[in-house]
Amino acid sequence: MEFQLKFGVFLALLSCFVSANAFSCVVPTQGKEFDNLIDIEWNKDESTFYIRFPPNADGQKFDNVTLGILKDEDSFAGTSAPLQTFPDNGKLLTYVRSFDDLNVGLNISVWWQGENDVCPIIGKVKLTKK
């Protein structure tokens, strides 16, 4: 009887664990479609990147935007806390000042995630001075 109770509890816990993982997000939704939603403007006089993007993507609301520092083409040296955003003609705006003496690559990731959505949508762009 005690074995059956322990086995029953084990099965209940196992089914909760498996069902939670089955509905969790393994890979976020991303790609060129969402990368293209992000506009970058380089202001040489201010040494500042202005980043604009819509508050919604594919039905999900804006969640946060982070600045990634690239060690080389494919690996991150670090990521920032979410950057502050401001409303700007129906879009959201954030900015990043660039310092030439740092000699690092900069990357922006914009995250959209609805309240009840498990998987975020992520748009990424590299900040390059044009």
Side-chain angles (χ1 to χ4, degrees):
M1 179 78 168
E2 186 177 301
F3 172 76
Q4 288 178 332
L5 182 62
K6 287 181 181 179
F7 187 73
V9 170
F10 170 76
L11 283 179
L13 291 173
L14 181 63
S15 67
C16 287
F17 177 75
V18 169
S19 65
N21 282 338
F23 295 106
S24 66
C25 179
V26 179
V27 178
T29 304
Q30 53 191 7
K32 197 144 188 76
E33 170 188 357
F34 302 108
D35 298 347
N36 290 339
L37 296 176
I38 306 168
D39 297 320
I40 306 294
E41 178 188 334
W42 167 246
N43 186 314
K44 185 177 179 179
D45 296 334
E46 298 175 9
S47 291
T48 302
F49 291 101
Y50 288 94
I51 301 110
R52 290 176 181 82
F53 50 91
N56 297 293
D58 200 28
Q60 296 196 47
K61 295 180 182 177
F62 168 72
D63 191 39
N64 71 59
V65 58
T66 56
L67 171 68
I69 299 170
L70 299 168
K71 188 166 54 173
D72 54 42
E73 285 297 313
D74 298 319
S75 64
F76 282 99
T79 338
S80 73
L83 301 176
Q84 188 172 8
T85 58
F86 308 93
D88 182 57
N89 294 326
K91 289 197 171 190
L92 295 173
L93 166 75
T94 190
Y95 62 90
V96 174
R97 296 199 188 268
S98 175
F99 302 97
D100 290 331
D101 57 343
L102 291 179
N103 198 25
V104 294
L106 299 175
N107 196 10
I108 284 287
S109 296
V110 176
W111 294 61
W112 293 273
Q113 187 166 12
E115 289 180 26
N116 298 320
D117 295 318
V118 177
C119 288
I121 292 174
I122 302 175
K124 296 181 181 179
V125 291
K126 186 182 273 189
L127 302 182
T128 54
K129 299 173 185 175
K130 295 178 182 178

